[in-house]
Amino acid sequence: MAGADGDDSLYPIAVLIDELRNEDVQLRLNSIKKLSTIALALGVERTRTELLPFLTDTIYDEDEVLLALAEQLGNFTMLVGGPEYVHCLLPPLESLATVEETVVRDKAVESLRKISQEHSPVDLEVHFEPLVKRLASGDWFTSRTSACGLFSVCYPRVSSTVKAEIRQHFRTLCSDDTPMVRRAAASKLGEFAKVLELDYVKSDIISLFTALASDEQDSVRLLAVEACVSIATLLPQEDLESLVMPTLRQAAEDKSWRVRYMVADKFSELQKAVGPEITKNDLVPAFQNLLKDCEAEVRAAAANKVKEFCENLPEENREQIIMTHILPCVKELVSDTNQHVKSALASVIMGLSTILGKDNTIEHLLPLFLAQLKDECPEVRLNIISNLDCVNEVIGIRQLSQSLLPAIVELAEDAKWRVRLAIIEYMPLLAGQLGVEFFDEKLNTLCMAWLIDHVYAIREAATCNLMKLVEKFGAEWAQNTIVPKVLGMANDPNYLHRMTTLFCINALSEACGQDITTKQMLPVVLKMSNDQVANVRFNVAKSLQKIGPVLDSNALQTEVKPVLEKLATDTDMDVKYFAQEAISEMLFVVSS
Amino acid sequence: MNHTDVEVLSDCSIRSIMMATGNFLKNRAMSSAATTSPSVDKVDGFSRKSVRKAKQKRSQSSSQFRAQGKPIELTPLPLLKDVPAPEQPELFLKKLQQCCTVFDFIDTLSDLKMKEYKRSTLNELVDYVTVSRGYLTEQAYPEVVKMVSHNIFRTLPPSDSNEFDPEEDEPTLEASWPHLQLVYEFFIRFLESQEFQPSIAKKYIDQKFVLQLLELFDSEDPRERDYLKTVLHRIYGKFLGLRAFIRKQINNIFLRFVYETEHFNGVAELLEILGSIINGFALPLKAEHKQFLVKVLIPLHTVRSLSLFHAQLAYCIVQFLEKDPTLTEPVIRGLLKFWPKTCSQKEVMFLGELEEILDVIEPTQFVKIQEPLFKQISRCVSSPHFQVAERALYYWNNEYIMSLIEENSSVILPIMFSSLYRISKEHWNPAIVALVYNVLKAFMEMNSTLFDELTATYKSDRQREKKKEKEREDLWKKLEDLELKRGLRNDGIIPT
């Protein structure tokens, strides 16, 4: 370590480079992640003349290390001396942009895009643009793939001659003979279109778009659908019909379901991009077809978009279009053979009620909601229940409550605990909408039954649910309906149930307030300190600590403290531990 | 736990798309999964395997067969053997045309009569091309290719199982197999027929045909992939003009598989074909083939589902090395680069493959690669996973490898010594400890002076390592102080 005793700035590069070469990958990775520290030690000049050439030369390493390097270099501008010198970073990043591993390459491209902004227009043409060209004409597909992501960042800031070259390169890559490159080009087509002058969008981009959209590989064609959104947004309305629509129509009927899926998935964006007229004439029938597609994947994707699509329809004929064209398809989907389709629909269908208004909802949608509430698949039922609020606003929840109840009860008793868990989480919401009377009458028993579920996660969620209910309905309600039942469980022969009492007290004390906690809950907790099961006893200690802040200081001193002190001498190690912990915490509370 | 379940469930629609779009869309698809299906994370994600299996045997058909609706009518034709020979070619064409009709097999009750008629016609065609002479007129070629194309080329349906585990799950079977099988059978007989002339057929069996054929290798039905393997093999054998194209397309499939989707059902089958192709490569190997080895076959080792095609892959690699031993170094370096970090099962596979390579390695090549190689082996030997350690220690039972180690013991022993010495004292598994003792004993017999030296310096070496470690820490501490100091000085200029 020659540098250690000399001037700080004179660290021999060899020592630092040894670190970057360490045999242990993990150490090497750590060093690379602190590359900025090394650069700082070397100073800007030696970073440029010594460190960067070294990095450029030794790019054969684990992908993990390369990824870290690619990321670091994106933030290196200041460390090489500012924008003036930023082009020094290009050689190592260029090598990284040709690596096989996709994540490394993508990161290198990301860093290149970042530092491209720090180049002056002159440097961009002198240093950056030639790099893009080299990548675009590289032998191996990786460099050409990377090039696709760089065109759009330099295009706006170069001269018109260079612009023409860039367009030419992009054109070439769009018809590359490896599908990987065509995919990369197709995925950047929209982004590139955005930075082009409108005339070139019409003359260049449209023909590329059309070609990619009829590529022999469906993986390329489906990416053209994404580009379609950006392109359609850029073009004036009158050109859409002739330049974009033929391709879009073709995509919506593509023989590959993946392409149709993509159309369905992007439907709202497409709809916005092409405007109301084309939506009415073209997209409505296309959407109907997607909702009736033979592949469930496509139907599910389309079903997901039903609400958004309807919302974005032109207002003047919205209702008519929905009622005559969309609703019939939706009705069929309610009894689809595939549960993913049904559940996708169930997650949005309630939203239609706000669009269609009260009468239509009651007449047309309500039967569908009810049917879905009885669906065999719990996910469908859950999705309906989780969106009740939309219907509540339009027609009130009462219309549904008769069907709702059996659905809730069935979910509450589902054999899968995750389903039970999901319905518990909706309880506070449901309680709010159904009102306290309905709740007491129909749902309270369920909520209490969950407390003795045989799965801990359910008991835990049930406890939390009670707390939320108390927050909603108030302490008085708690005192009358749930506190007695909870406290009753303290005498249950099953120690797990006795513990549940403690957990409930932990959760409820704050919401119930000092009075109920001190007068009703505390005695029960204190009594349980004599429980024969150690787990109950140490949970008593924990509970006392937990409810301490709610109690008055008198009760703390006279009742809680003696019990904790006794527990602190318990024979069980854990009980002792938690009692002692509680004591040290509580004293703090008392003294403050 | 919740998190993984979410993935399983939302996968159904998203995953298959990701397969198609690869990395560009990976993130996008994920985020759209999160935004478009908000319900998903509230739902039970257990897709219990037992439950799924209890359902009827899954079978699928692709989009094109459905949605036709109308009943299909074919006018029955006389049997070929019942008409005079001169009329047979004409009738043969008519039958081929009839067989272009495809049926919906998901609806098991539709068109029963016609399905049976097509099946018997196909059977008849299979027999006919096998035994008849003089049937293959020039007009027959386009008709045969058309019939085959109509039947076999189709968009494969979305995969039913999200996380297909070939060891646990039943593959989804193709519903239209009763017809499809006969079509494949017919096509193979056609290609193998003595009258078959590639010079005429190449007009119809072209690049586009091959491309579509290759895409079918993604079929989930192993029976179909098996037929495809034979078909592709025949085409590769008979159409010299398509060979380079086929290799290039397989290249693309593999690259997409490795770097974009990690999903393709037919990798093992394609590798099997490649195995025999590599076998036939002329020497010296073309640059294109070497590139294929280094840039495609080696990265195939990184794929998660390696176990499904590892045997075929290792075979291909060894084939290459037998052709050209100078490739040993890049191959082994490649394997070392992609050495599994966390997956012990894969590590065992790598060790197995490495042993296959060492079995055929030339001593001159061995010397070039021994240092990095044995550094890795030394890490494997001290793996806490006993199967990995055991697999590595088994090398010492291999006579050829032993002879190589012995010749180079002065290099290898110092690399291996500290690991062996340490685990002989520390490994939790007694079987491993016993194996290590044997290895140490073997080394002692090989080169006792060096062994004694290493034993004597073991402690001081460890201390030196510790000291070096300490120095590293000090260096970094200094560097960080420096960063802090400068950061303060040029506050705001240096990014942190």
Side-chain angles (χ1 to χ4, degrees):
Chain A
M1 289 230 299
D5 43 22
D7 179 358
D8 277 351
S9 64
L10 286 178
Y11 275 104
I13 180 127
V15 175
L16 301 173
I17 280 176
D18 262 359
E19 283 300 292
L20 296 173
R21 274 194 183 133
N22 200 304
E23 235 174 69
D24 184 331
V25 190
Q26 195 52 49
L27 294 178
R28 218 154 62 221
L29 187 59
N30 292 345
S31 313
I32 283 280
K33 284 186 173 159
K34 292 186 211 149
L35 197 61
S36 57
T37 312
I38 294 181
L40 204 60
L42 287 171
V44 291
E45 206 180 314
R46 294 180 65 208
T47 298
R48 287 200 300 268
T49 55
E50 294 175 50
L51 183 62
L52 287 177
F54 163 76
L55 291 173
T56 314
D57 288 344
T58 52
I59 293 191
Y60 178 88
D61 203 335
E62 304 257 348
D63 293 325
E64 199 84 17
V65 177
L66 297 184
L67 175 68
L69 178 59
E71 189 172 9
Q72 287 278 316
L73 291 177
N75 300 320
F76 242 56
T77 308
M78 285 307 165
L79 294 166
V80 292
E84 220 180 312
Y85 295 100
V86 67
H87 59 84
C88 299
L89 297 172
L90 296 178
L93 281 172
E94 181 174 354
S95 312
L96 289 167
T98 64
V99 160
E100 261 82 19
E101 178 50 53
T102 326
V103 281
V104 176
R105 219 162 58 222
D106 288 350
K107 190 53 88 181
V109 170
E110 194 185 314
S111 290
L112 279 169
R113 286 168 71 112
K114 205 164 168 187
I115 63 167
S116 75
Q117 304 306 324
E118 282 149 1
H119 280 69
S120 69
V122 176
D123 280 349
L124 204 63
E125 278 195 27
V126 178
H127 300 286
F128 197 86
E129 203 270 339
L131 167 143
V132 178
K133 272 195 236 166
R134 280 195 301 278
L135 288 175
S137 40
D139 280 340
W140 191 239
F141 79 98
T142 50
S143 69
R144 303 200 297 280
T145 312
S146 295
C148 293
L150 297 173
F151 293 121
S152 65
V153 291
C154 50
Y155 189 84
R157 297 174 59 212
V158 292
S159 67
S160 56
T161 358
V162 180
K163 278 184 173 173
E165 285 172 27
I166 292 180
R167 287 196 304 275
Q168 180 53 44
H169 278 293
F170 193 79
R171 251 198 308 273
T172 315
L173 294 182
C174 282
S175 53
D176 197 278
D177 70 339
T178 69
M180 289 78 82
V181 178
R182 292 203 303 280
R183 276 195 288 277
S187 68
K188 299 291 176 199
L189 183 64
E191 176 189 294
F192 190 55
K194 282 185 193 158
V195 299
L196 244 58
E197 298 80 356
L198 186 58
D199 282 345
Y200 291 122
V201 173
K202 287 189 201 172
S203 61
D204 284 29
I205 296 290
I206 294 297
S207 63
L208 298 175
F209 167 62
T210 317
L212 291 168
S214 39
D215 195 276
E216 63 202 5
Q217 304 245 338
D218 59 0
S219 53
V220 179
R221 294 201 300 277
L222 67 87
L223 290 165
V225 175
E226 259 191 313
C228 185
V229 177
S230 325
I231 295 171
T233 320
L234 296 169
L235 292 174
Q237 191 69 32
E238 65 268 21
D239 289 326
L240 286 177
E241 179 54 43
S242 59
L243 297 180
V244 175
M245 286 316 290
T247 309
L248 181 56
R249 277 187 210 111
Q250 178 193 318
E253 287 168 4
D254 197 283
K255 69 180 193 312
S256 164
W257 62 269
R258 292 187 180 90
V259 179
R260 299 196 304 275
Y261 172 94
M262 203 59 172
V263 175
D265 194 48
K266 296 269 157 238
F267 217 82
S268 306
E269 287 97 321
L270 288 166
Q271 184 187 10
K272 281 179 205 149
V274 298
E277 255 332 280
I278 295 179
T279 298
K280 222 163 48 189
N281 301 331
D282 275 279
L283 294 195
V284 171
F287 194 59
Q288 283 175 291
N289 286 336
L290 293 170
L291 289 172
K292 289 187 224 155
D293 198 277
C294 57
E295 290 299 349
E297 251 77 1
V298 180
R299 290 200 301 280
N304 255 321
K305 303 285 164 186
V306 163
K307 182 192 155 207
E308 257 179 277
F309 180 74
C310 293
E311 249 170 9
N312 296 330
L313 285 169
E315 207 148 335
E316 64 274 17
N317 353 53
R318 181 156 70 192
E319 190 173 322
Q320 179 256 329
I321 294 175
I322 298 176
M323 297 305 291
T324 51
H325 299 293
I326 306 299
L327 203 59
C329 302
V330 169
K331 279 182 184 160
E332 277 176 46
L333 291 183
V334 167
S335 48
D336 199 278
T337 49
N338 183 294
Q339 67 169 61
H340 295 288
V341 177
K342 287 187 291 187
S343 81
L345 182 69
S347 66
V348 298
I349 191 174
M350 311 290 269
L352 290 179
S353 48
T354 30
I355 306 172
L356 287 175
K358 187 170 178 182
D359 294 339
N360 281 326
T361 301
I362 293 176
E363 193 183 339
H364 298 285
L365 293 177
L366 198 56
L368 304 181
F369 301 158
L370 296 177
Q372 292 216 299
L373 268 179
K374 295 192 188 94
D375 199 277
E376 53 176 11
C377 163
E379 194 184 342
V380 176
R381 283 174 268 150
L382 276 173
N383 282 352
I384 291 290
I385 290 174
S386 63
N387 286 296
L388 279 175
D389 44 341
C390 329
V391 191
N392 200 16
E393 287 160 22
V394 182
I395 58 169
I397 207 163
R398 287 283 162 183
Q399 297 268 10
L400 274 175
S401 53
Q402 282 317 307
S403 311
L404 206 48
L405 195 63
I408 294 172
V409 172
E410 209 179 310
L411 289 168
E413 289 162 358
D414 197 281
K416 293 176 182 164
W417 68 267
R418 279 161 203 275
V419 174
R420 301 201 294 278
L421 185 64
I423 189 71
I424 293 176
E425 280 162 8
Y426 292 124
M427 271 300 150
L429 181 82
L430 284 169
Q433 287 172 358
L434 292 165
V436 63
E437 284 154 48
F438 186 91
F439 184 86
D440 281 348
E441 198 180 314
K442 316 276 188 189
L443 298 179
N444 197 17
T445 22
L446 281 181
C447 290
M448 301 315 288
W450 281 319
L451 289 175
I452 50 169
D453 197 281
H454 60 272
V455 175
Y456 175 75
I458 299 297
R459 297 198 298 275
E460 190 189 25
T463 314
C464 179
N465 173 45
L466 287 186
M467 181 182 79
K468 288 186 187 148
L469 290 173
V470 174
E471 282 167 1
K472 224 172 207 109
F473 293 150
E476 197 182 329
W477 174 82
Q479 194 172 7
N480 294 330
T481 45
I482 59 170
V483 173
K485 288 185 196 169
V486 166
L487 297 181
M489 284 165 62
N491 301 317
D492 198 286
N494 185 333
Y495 85 97
L496 291 171
H497 298 171
R498 298 201 294 278
M499 295 220 298
T500 305
T501 298
L502 292 172
F503 298 146
C504 285
I505 288 172
N506 294 348
L508 294 176
S509 60
E510 204 172 324
C512 286
Q514 195 181 61
D515 197 44
I516 298 177
T517 309
T518 318
K519 289 198 181 129
Q520 300 189 15
M521 295 178 175
L522 183 62
V524 175
V525 179
L526 295 175
K527 202 174 137 221
M528 288 169 88
S529 68
N530 298 317
D531 201 286
Q532 70 215 26
V533 177
N535 293 41
V536 176
R537 293 200 303 278
F538 77 65
N539 273 296
V540 165
K542 282 168 138 184
S543 283
L544 288 173
Q545 181 181 342
K546 179 92 195 179
I547 65 173
V550 186
L551 299 169
D552 62 60
S553 53
N554 185 32
L556 278 179
Q557 286 299 338
T558 58
E559 298 181 66
V560 175
K561 211 174 157 204
V563 169
L564 282 176
E565 276 163 358
K566 196 186 87 196
L567 288 174
T569 59
D570 200 279
T571 47
D572 186 274
M573 188 167 99
D574 293 319
V575 178
K576 236 190 255 179
Y577 171 82
F578 284 110
Q580 276 158 3
E581 193 184 69
I583 288 169
S584 60
E585 285 287 315
M586 306 286 281
L587 289 176
F588 173 72
V589 172
V590 174
S591 65
S592 72
Chain B
M1 246 175 121
N2 259 321
H3 179 72
T4 43
D5 287 337
V6 171
E7 275 185 17
V8 172
L9 218 126
S10 62
D11 256 358
C12 163
S13 53
I14 299 309
R15 179 157 195 89
S16 31
I17 276 293
M18 274 169 50
M19 289 165 189
T21 56
N23 276 336
F24 314 112
L25 289 184
K26 236 174 213 170
N27 296 328
R28 196 204 51 75
M30 283 303 187
S31 64
S32 86
T35 51
T36 57
S37 44
S39 57
V40 154
D41 54 345
K42 301 157 191 160
V43 170
D44 184 296
F46 280 153
S47 58
R48 297 270 285 286
K49 280 181 177 152
S50 51
V51 176
R52 220 168 57 203
K53 276 195 181 141
K55 287 194 298 188
Q56 89 249 29
K57 198 166 198 181
R58 290 172 306 140
S59 67
Q60 285 198 332
S61 196
S62 73
S63 324
Q64 64 171 5
F65 297 118
R66 301 179 202 173
Q68 282 181 342
K70 285 172 287 193
I72 295 164
E73 271 308 320
L74 297 175
T75 326
L77 297 168
L79 291 178
L80 282 158
K81 64 175 166 47
D82 292 346
V83 301
E87 289 170 31
Q88 281 182 4
E90 182 67 30
L91 184 59
F92 178 61
L93 292 187
K94 278 198 181 137
K95 293 204 172 218
L96 284 172
Q97 280 155 8
Q98 276 194 333
C99 287
C100 286
T101 316
V102 286
F103 290 89
D104 179 358
F105 273 83
I106 287 297
D107 183 351
T108 47
L109 296 174
S110 69
D111 306 308
L112 282 178
K113 244 193 187 146
M114 286 300 116
K115 280 179 189 165
E116 175 52 27
Y117 171 71
K118 181 175 169 183
R119 200 191 60 79
S120 64
T121 308
L122 283 168
N123 256 325
E124 191 194 0
L125 292 175
V126 172
D127 291 342
Y128 187 69
V129 291
T130 320
V131 298
S132 300
R133 293 286 166 267
Y135 73 98
L136 255 184
T137 58
E138 254 196 82
Q139 297 112 292
Y141 285 89
E143 293 301 324
V144 168
V145 174
K146 192 172 133 204
M147 191 278 276
V148 172
S149 307
H150 270 269
N151 279 281
I152 67 172
F153 294 152
R154 61 207 195 281
T155 307
L156 294 170
S159 174
D160 218 18
S161 40
N162 314 314
E163 290 286 332
F164 182 66
D165 177 355
E167 278 161 24
E168 280 274 334
D169 298 338
E170 296 273 326
T172 310
L173 298 178
E174 175 59 49
S176 59
W177 192 242
H179 285 175
L180 211 51
Q181 176 178 22
L182 292 170
V183 174
Y184 278 117
E185 193 70 47
F186 166 79
F187 191 42
I188 290 169
R189 303 285 175 93
F190 166 76
L191 291 168
E192 288 174 349
S193 150
Q194 289 179 345
E195 296 188 7
F196 178 78
Q197 292 180 41
S199 55
I200 304 174
K202 73 177 182 197
K203 268 187 273 177
Y204 312 104
I205 298 180
D206 54 5
Q207 296 193 346
K208 188 156 188 274
F209 184 92
V210 168
L211 203 58
Q212 298 184 76
L213 196 71
L214 284 169
E215 273 173 26
L216 289 177
F217 275 84
D218 194 20
S219 168
E220 253 184 65
D221 193 330
R223 302 168 304 183
E224 178 167 21
R225 295 202 303 271
D226 211 47
Y227 271 105
L228 283 165
K229 195 169 68 186
T230 316
V231 170
L232 186 65
H233 206 240
R234 295 291 170 275
I235 293 181
Y236 192 89
K238 293 192 191 261
F239 297 85
L240 303 185
L242 285 174
R243 286 186 177 180
F245 180 79
I246 291 174
R247 288 198 307 269
K248 194 161 132 202
Q249 294 310 320
I250 294 180
N251 243 332
N252 288 342
I253 288 177
F254 284 170
L255 288 169
R256 181 169 95 166
F257 173 64
V258 174
Y259 293 115
E260 294 181 12
T261 64
E262 291 223 348
H263 178 94
F264 193 82
N265 290 312
V267 176
E269 283 82 1
L270 290 175
L271 283 169
E272 221 172 294
I273 298 173
L274 281 167
S276 63
I277 293 178
I278 296 164
N279 213 334
F281 281 161
L283 289 173
L285 289 175
K286 284 192 210 159
E288 173 213 331
H289 301 325
K290 291 187 191 170
Q291 189 182 48
F292 173 69
L293 170 69
V294 176
K295 296 222 172 193
V296 183
L297 287 185
I298 298 289
L300 267 178
H301 288 87
T302 60
V303 176
R304 199 176 36 181
S305 56
L306 177 67
S307 63
L308 297 183
F309 54 84
H310 182 249
Q312 290 84 348
L313 179 58
Y315 178 79
C316 286
I317 302 272
V318 174
Q319 287 293 305
F320 261 114
L321 299 186
E322 294 209 72
K323 284 261 163 196
D324 183 354
T326 61
L327 292 168
T328 311
E329 187 180 345
V331 164
I332 293 184
R333 282 197 188 276
L335 288 179
L336 294 177
K337 179 178 172 187
F338 295 131
W339 201 271
K341 303 279 185 301
T342 53
C343 181
S344 311
Q345 263 65 42
K346 266 175 88 172
E347 222 175 333
V348 173
M349 282 185 249
F350 269 57
L351 285 165
E353 182 171 347
L354 209 49
E355 182 163 2
E356 280 181 55
I357 294 173
L358 290 174
D359 272 331
V360 300
I361 201 168
E362 286 184 359
T364 47
Q365 298 297 324
F366 181 83
V367 175
K368 283 189 203 163
I369 197 72
Q370 57 182 349
E371 279 186 57
L373 177 63
F374 276 85
K375 277 178 188 159
Q376 180 59 53
I377 293 175
S378 140
R379 277 194 286 273
C380 292
V381 160
S382 50
S383 166
H385 195 296
F386 84 96
Q387 285 173 337
V388 175
E390 186 182 59
R391 186 67 193 82
L393 289 163
Y394 279 166
Y395 282 12
W396 274 263
N397 295 340
N398 183 315
E399 275 179 38
Y400 182 60
I401 299 179
M402 267 305 263
S403 71
L404 292 168
I405 294 178
E406 191 159 5
E407 269 167 52
N408 300 286
S409 63
S410 58
V411 181
I412 295 171
L413 181 51
I415 299 175
M416 296 294 300
F417 185 79
S418 72
S419 292
L420 292 171
Y421 192 84
R422 190 164 48 81
I423 47 171
S424 72
K425 302 209 183 320
E426 284 175 9
H427 205 283
W428 62 272
N429 185 306
I432 297 297
V433 175
L435 281 170
V436 165
Y437 270 116
N438 286 337
V439 171
L440 280 172
K441 204 170 127 233
F443 272 129
M444 200 157 60
E445 283 159 10
M446 251 176 231
N447 194 337
S448 58
T449 17
L450 181 57
F451 190 89
D452 292 343
E453 237 170 72
L454 288 168
T455 321
T457 56
Y458 180 79
K459 261 204 189 117
S460 57
D461 283 350
R462 293 296 78 74
Q463 270 162 1
R464 202 172 327 126
E465 268 170 33
K466 265 190 198 141
K467 194 167 159 248
K468 229 174 139 192
E469 183 59 25
K470 177 92 181 26
E471 283 175 1
R472 282 194 63 251
E473 267 171 35
D474 289 348
L475 170 69
W476 278 107
K477 212 171 275 162
K478 277 215 179 87
L479 285 173
E480 266 149 34
D481 288 348
L482 181 72
E483 187 177 21
L484 218 58
K485 231 176 355 186
R486 297 231 183 147
L488 285 177
R489 206 187 310 151
N490 315 340
D491 202 31
I493 295 178
I494 290 159
T496 44

